[in-house]
Amino acid sequence: MSFQRPHTTQPSPHAPQNQSQSQPFHPQHPQAQPFPGHPQQPNPQGIPHQGTVLTGRGLVKYYGDVVGLAGVDVTVQAGEALAVMGPSGNGKTTLLHVLAGILTPDQGEVWLGGERVDQLGDAARTVLRRRRLGFVFQDNQLLAELPADENVALPLMVDGVSRREAIGRARNMLAQVGLSAEVSRRPGELSGGQAQRVAIARALVGEPQAVFADEPTGALDAATGAQVIDLLVGAATHRGAAVVVVTHDDAVAARCHRVVRIVDGRVSER
Amino acid sequence: MNPMTDLGLRFVRRPGPGGRAANLAALGATAIVALLVSFLIAGSLGLTHRSDRIGWRNTDDGEPKTAVGAVNEVHDMVAGEPVNRVDLAINNPKRDGELPPPPGLSHAPKPGEVFVSPELAKRWSEDLRTRYKLEQPTGIISDAGLSSPDELIVIRGVAKDSPGVAQSDHPRYLDTWRGNAMDSRMAMLLALVAFGIALVLFPLLSLVGQAAGVAAKRREHRLAALRLAGATRRQVLWLSAVEQAVLGFLGAIAGLIGYVVLSPLIARIPLGGGRWYLHDLTPSWWVTLIVLVAVPVLSVISALIGLGRVSITPLGVVRGQTRKSTSALRLVLLVIGPIMLAVLGTGGAVLPLVIGIGIAALAVRVVGPWAVQVIGKFLARTAKGPVVLLAGRRLADDPKGAFRPVAALVLSGFVTGFLALFMPYGLTQDGKDVSFQLYTNQGQTAVVAEDARKRLSEAGFKGEVTTGDQSVSISVSTTERERLRTVLYDVVPSQVPLTDAERDKQDAGVFMDMRLGVALLLGLVFVTGAASTAAGAVGTALDQAAPAKALRRSGVPLQVIERSARLAAVVPVVAVGLPVVGFGALCGLALSGGQVVTRGSSGVILLLGQVVVGVVLVAVAGAAGAPVLRKASAG
Ligand SMILES: Nc1ncnc2c1ncn2[C@@H]1O[C@H](COP(=O)(O)OP(=O)(O)O)[C@@H](O)[C@H]1O
Ligand SMILES: [Mg+2]
């Protein structure tokens, strides 16, 4: 197995780390400045570097006879956004699901912040996803009956956070994604881009260590997609979270710090 | 074959992920509709068949001169069981020996001849021999003259001027054996059926719509894909119609088969004086045809109306912004429908009752969703956890949809709440069982008493005979009561000696009919409510499949959504149903002047039973969405 060689394709934004989280976030524009500290690799003893949040090592996943992943190594640093690209049906979603504990790998290891998580049971992975990870999907992820703030607050409330606090944090988060005026609107009353920003707020409201997004701009037009991805990458990395974005859109990948290509279930060296 | 037809049929066979469950739910709901419709139609036709065979016994439409016969009905008792004795004087005005016999009899009975039902023939005894002065019955009444195989009946030929049928005694005169008068018991049961139809007609119709909607939901994204592939809107609608027609037809067949399979069991329900002849309940070819055509047609129409509300564009299904409001047409139908049924089905006899129910139904339909919305908002506002929050928001978001499945249940709760405290028919069965009471004309008591004493002493009975103003009582402190009755038979002409308790027993059948009928009615309402709740739950599960999938991936356990779905199903029954039951009880109290009219606790037990069964059923049915949600949100 070989560690992948990440390559930065486009100018990437610098991700400011560890700023005060109570400040409203202002989306940043990409700057022509290379992301520092790449490539980063886990050390040979298997303990990720201090800045490394997420590590996948030798990941293999089968769907019956179909090979989903054929041995993938990947690391993501705190505050770093990684774009996963590649042709359709080649294992991008599978990789994301394995890294995020939605699927368990058939071989290989997944480490989250110095803790091995791929061997956890279903219940423990559910809690892990809720407490330590955040998710954004392509569309249809908000409950139609709930207004935006309650959609964002729901995972917190499931976790036992009091309603008052959960709603407060949700509104604060919605303000940071520029939706202060829309907190009481239901998904049906939001545009596609706004709905994705609500989803981003929901992904971030639990202060996750890593945020996973599968084609988050797939249902949006290019301009809206660019705004949404900037917001996601900016807001997440701003908080020091690692970000993994699956996309087939070069413009989206360009707004991340680093890109890996997955072809036939492997990291492509091309 | 039209390629779209072909594709539609293919989609029925391969419905795609989660589609099988949705199709099954749609099919099951349609089957239940077909089953209940078959039951209602075939059951009411069965009642009319029964009535046709025995209606002549209480027809009174002829003139003494021209009537074919004069009838007097007498309550008799055999071995402690009530027997119906029909004294029949044949008139035969044309004196043409060709007079057709009454239904089920081999010939028109001459005076002194006695025809009995098979069940009574089994009980033929020394007492009956003496009472009817016949060694053996003249003949057995065939099925064509009986309402039920259990019937205990005697048809006795009497002379035209004998007591009871003489003109001065005002017997019933009939012009033909096949008059159109209904048997009173069957008429009452038909009224109950009309009542039942008034309760469940709209729930059933909306169940068809729900079933179609459930199947259609699963279809929407596929339709969008077809539009993307270049299919026109017309073609897409045609495809849906084909698919839904197949599902509706299969559901109708399943329901009919279910009804036919269940009908031997249904025939055992001792309604209207005994078990049913199976052939009375067997759906005729045209009932079969109506069900097989009407159910699929209705479900296709519902599906197309449902799809008509959304515009299927190549980019997906865009739901119209306007929530459908209750159309005036529906309201009119709601009022007109049951009235028409009442008029057509029962000749208008129960019109006021059905109109009353119609208005109550209307009120419940208007007030119910509003109350659900208020409760939903309250729950959402005060919720501390995610389950209550989600349930409350769902109720507030679509109160009509949430209330629809339980509307009939709530309405029936009003009726039982009413009946629990107010049953105006004097259901008391507290007659004494100590002495035969004979009723006589003024001044005849002494003669009757004298005759009775003579008969008693001749037969060796020691009975106390006392006279009242117009009555004679004879104490029955003996183990040989039937022999005593035989001894005293016809001491007052055309009156059988009965105790007050025995007279009550003659009426008990009617009250049992009412109780059974109400129980059946509630069963009907429960099944409809449960099926509707289940279909609604499956529909909601399909609606929530995508966000539920996202939430599951984000680490929110599915149970949160499942529990909120169950809560949302139960809240309308409990929060609206219970107050409505209370309101019904209040109305009952108001009508009875503030006192509990029903004796004993039967009404209250019925009410409590209904509330418990209703809530449990809805909770269970509300969980029907869970497996669908689990499947559709997996991965
Ligand atoms: N649940 C599944 N069952 C069977 N095969 C699957 C499943 N999910 C994905 N696959 C297969 O695994 C391969 C990779 O899929 P996926 O990771 O979804 O690709 P991508 O996201 O790059 O389009 C594909 O060949 C796909 O058909
Ligand atoms: Mg994918």
Side-chain angles (χ1 to χ4, degrees), chain A residues 106-139:
Chain A
D106 293 316
Q107 286 172 38
E109 301 169 2
V110 179
W111 293 76
L112 179 71
E115 184 190 344
R116 187 164 172 191
V117 296
D118 58 272
Q119 290 171 321
L120 295 175
D122 192 57
R125 277 185 289 118
T126 299
V127 173
L128 177 100
R129 295 203 298 273
R130 189 168 72 230
R131 299 221 172 118
R132 295 171 61 188
L133 307 177
F135 294 86
V136 182
F137 301 101
Q138 186 168 338
D139 55 6

Side-chain angles (χ1 to χ4, degrees), chain B residues 2 46 80 116 128 134 140 157 257 288 361 374 408 456 464 473 478 497:
Chain B
N2 176 332
V116 299
L128 292 187
L134 259 186
I140 307 290
I257 291 177
T288 309
V374 169
L456 286 182
E464 210 178 299
S473 348
T478 167

Side-chain angles (χ1 to χ4, degrees), chain A residues 88-94 214-215 246:
Chain A
S88 198
N90 275 244
K92 303 184 296 295
T93 296
T94 305
D214 195 351
E215 314 256 13
V246 166

Side-chain angles (χ1 to χ4, degrees), chain A residues 160-223:
Chain A
V161 176
S162 79
R163 176 175 180 160
R164 186 185 301 273
E165 186 190 336
I167 295 287
R169 280 167 68 180
R171 292 207 174 146
N172 186 32
M173 201 65 226
L174 282 167
Q176 293 185 46
V177 298
L179 291 178
S180 328
E182 283 86 5
V183 289
S184 312
R185 290 215 201 153
R186 284 184 291 175
E189 302 161 339
L190 297 171
S191 71
Q194 287 173 329
Q196 282 310 74
R197 284 195 270 163
V198 175
I200 290 169
R202 184 172 70 184
L204 295 178
V205 75
E207 304 294 340
Q209 287 173 281
V211 178
F212 298 87
D214 195 351
E215 314 256 13
T217 61
L220 303 177
D221 62 80

Side-chain angles (χ1 to χ4, degrees), chain B residues 411-437:
Chain B
L411 188 59
S412 70
F414 175 83
V415 175
T416 31
F418 184 90
L419 290 182
L421 297 181
F422 181 73
M423 283 212 186
Y425 302 104
L427 278 173
T428 55
Q429 298 264 304
D430 55 0
K432 293 201 168 51
D433 199 29
V434 291
S435 59
F436 290 143
Q437 298 291 331

Side-chain angles (χ1 to χ4, degrees), chain A:
Chain A
M1 85 178 56
S2 67
F3 293 127
Q4 58 117 148
R5 258 195 56 85
H7 50 279
T8 315
T9 48
Q10 299 274 319
S12 301
H14 177 81
Q17 297 186 18
N18 301 326
Q19 287 192 358
S20 162
Q21 289 170 351
S22 57
Q23 278 183 358
F25 170 76
H26 303 288
Q28 299 186 351
H29 293 288
Q31 294 162 11
Q33 186 180 349
F35 191 76
H38 285 293
Q40 300 235 346
Q41 298 177 356
N43 69 30
Q45 283 80 43
I47 300 161
H49 285 162
Q50 192 157 31
T52 303
V53 171
L54 187 67
T55 303
R57 200 175 290 160
L59 294 173
V60 174
K61 178 73 188 175
Y62 300 105
Y63 297 106
D65 291 339
V66 177
V67 179
L69 293 177
V72 173
D73 298 282
V74 67
T75 58
V76 194
Q77 307 299 313
E80 182 192 22
L82 173 71
V84 178
M85 294 196 75
S88 198
N90 275 244
K92 303 184 296 295
T93 296
T94 305
L95 174 62
L96 182 120
H97 286 182
V98 166
L99 286 175
I102 294 171
L103 293 173
T104 50
D106 293 316
Q107 286 172 38
E109 301 169 2
V110 179
W111 293 76
L112 179 71
E115 184 190 344
R116 187 164 172 191
V117 296
D118 58 272
Q119 290 171 321
L120 295 175
D122 192 57
R125 277 185 289 118
T126 299
V127 173
L128 177 100
R129 295 203 298 273
R130 189 168 72 230
R131 299 221 172 118
R132 295 171 61 188
L133 307 177
F135 294 86
V136 182
F137 301 101
Q138 186 168 338
D139 55 6
N140 281 329
Q141 40 193 332
L142 302 175
L143 286 164
E145 299 91 340
L146 298 188
D149 55 355
E150 290 175 5
N151 257 299
V152 174
L154 191 77
L156 294 177
M157 289 176 72
V158 170
D159 231 7
V161 176
S162 79
R163 176 175 180 160
R164 186 185 301 273
E165 186 190 336
I167 295 287
R169 280 167 68 180
R171 292 207 174 146
N172 186 32
M173 201 65 226
L174 282 167
Q176 293 185 46
V177 298
L179 291 178
S180 328
E182 283 86 5
V183 289
S184 312
R185 290 215 201 153
R186 284 184 291 175
E189 302 161 339
L190 297 171
S191 71
Q194 287 173 329
Q196 282 310 74
R197 284 195 270 163
V198 175
I200 290 169
R202 184 172 70 184
L204 295 178
V205 75
E207 304 294 340
Q209 287 173 281
V211 178
F212 298 87
D214 195 351
E215 314 256 13
T217 61
L220 303 177
D221 62 80
T224 313
Q227 284 172 9
V228 163
I229 204 71
D230 280 350
L231 184 67
L232 170 66
V233 169
T237 55
H238 168 75
R239 309 178 123 65
V243 181
V244 179
V245 182
V246 166
T247 183
H248 52 243
D249 183 346
D250 286 331
V252 169
R255 292 174 137 79
C256 297
H257 304 125
R258 196 155 59 89
V259 177
V260 296
R261 290 185 62 81
I262 301 291
V263 177
D264 283 342
R266 292 175 189 282
V267 174
S268 161
E269 298 295 336
R270 184 197 62 82

